Amino acid sequence: MLRELGLTATSGAAIRSVRRRAESLGADFGHIVTGRPPVEKAVRPTSKPVEIGCTDVRRLARAGSLYAAAWYTLSGCEVSWPLEPNRYDLIVFCGDADALRVQVKTTTVRVRRTWKVYISTGGASRRAYSPDEIDEFFVIDGELNCYRIPVSAVAGLLAIHLSAYREYRVSSPFSARSGFVRSVGASGPATD
């Protein structure tokens, strides 16, 4: 019938329009099958939604590059993802400055009152990064504190304690003090 009226036979709007018109004329249209089951209203879930506002830092290594990219972007920089494999995780453009090759590191390893982070390649034979490969490290600790550490400041080291690099700490909206993150102790997972 819809095709005979010059309408699209599968159009939900056309079907509703014809039904409304038939109803206004008092015509019986119950025998007309649309070929589609009637659309039911969506049912709202009865369970509570996932709680947002607390972070599982056991996933920090996986989220590190995304977190760093968000930090640079929110700071007004442009971020690019290099093709793999590369010694750096991000290429960052801040204003008219040259591009920065950024290696992202994360840690959930607590050593006494500081965080220990490996700033070297992973695996059995660790290797330090050189200024020819990267320009800076973006480090995120288990409380989501962030550090921008120039590669020249760590000159060939394989691991550092972040308490010695407080001067390189940058503001972070997602720190433990903001109440956004649940901290982990020394038994937490290792760094990347």
Side-chain angles (χ1 to χ4, degrees):
M1 180 171 73
L2 291 172
R3 273 188 231 101
E4 289 295 320
L5 293 171
L7 301 171
T8 305
T10 57
S11 168
I15 293 168
R16 286 188 299 277
S17 177
V18 168
R19 284 186 171 199
R20 275 194 301 270
R21 182 67 176 145
E23 189 175 87
S24 71
L25 295 172
D28 180 23
F29 57 88
H31 63 284
I32 301 173
V33 179
T34 63
R36 280 194 228 176
V39 176
E40 295 180 21
K41 290 185 178 181
V43 178
R44 294 186 183 261
T46 56
S47 63
K48 289 184 177 180
V50 174
E51 182 182 337
I52 297 183
C54 55
T55 304
D56 184 353
V57 294
R58 293 172 297 183
R59 298 174 186 243
L60 185 57
R62 187 169 183 141
S65 292
L66 297 169
Y67 190 92
W71 187 92
Y72 282 108
T73 301
L74 291 169
S75 297
C77 301
E78 297 295 324
V79 176
S80 180
W81 300 87
L83 296 175
E84 297 290 338
N86 257 313
R87 295 285 283 163
Y88 47 90
D89 296 315
L90 303 172
I91 303 169
V92 178
F93 303 90
C94 296
D96 292 335
D98 290 338
L100 291 172
R101 298 165 297 171
V102 178
Q103 174 61 27
V104 178
K105 294 293 182 183
T106 62
T107 183
T108 56
V109 176
R110 238 0 191 158
V111 177
R112 289 179 288 286
R113 298 181 133 188
T114 187
W115 296 96
K116 178 180 182 179
V117 61
Y118 289 95
I119 55 167
S120 51
T121 58
S125 57
R126 292 199 168 271
R127 188 167 78 83
Y129 291 89
S130 77
D132 295 333
E133 298 172 308
I134 68 168
D135 299 302
E136 71 181 31
F137 291 98
F138 189 91
V139 181
I140 309 158
D141 70 23
E143 294 177 312
L144 300 184
N145 296 309
C146 301
Y147 301 77
R148 288 181 65 191
I149 304 173
V151 70
S152 59
V154 291
L157 297 175
L158 300 179
I160 59 173
H161 291 156
L162 290 174
S163 59
Y165 295 88
R166 284 189 186 108
E167 67 189 274
Y168 297 107
R169 189 165 158 195
V170 294
S171 64
S172 171
F174 305 116
S175 66
R177 282 181 290 291
S178 71
F180 187 77
V181 62
R182 278 180 275 145
S183 194
V184 295
S187 62
T191 62
D192 68 328

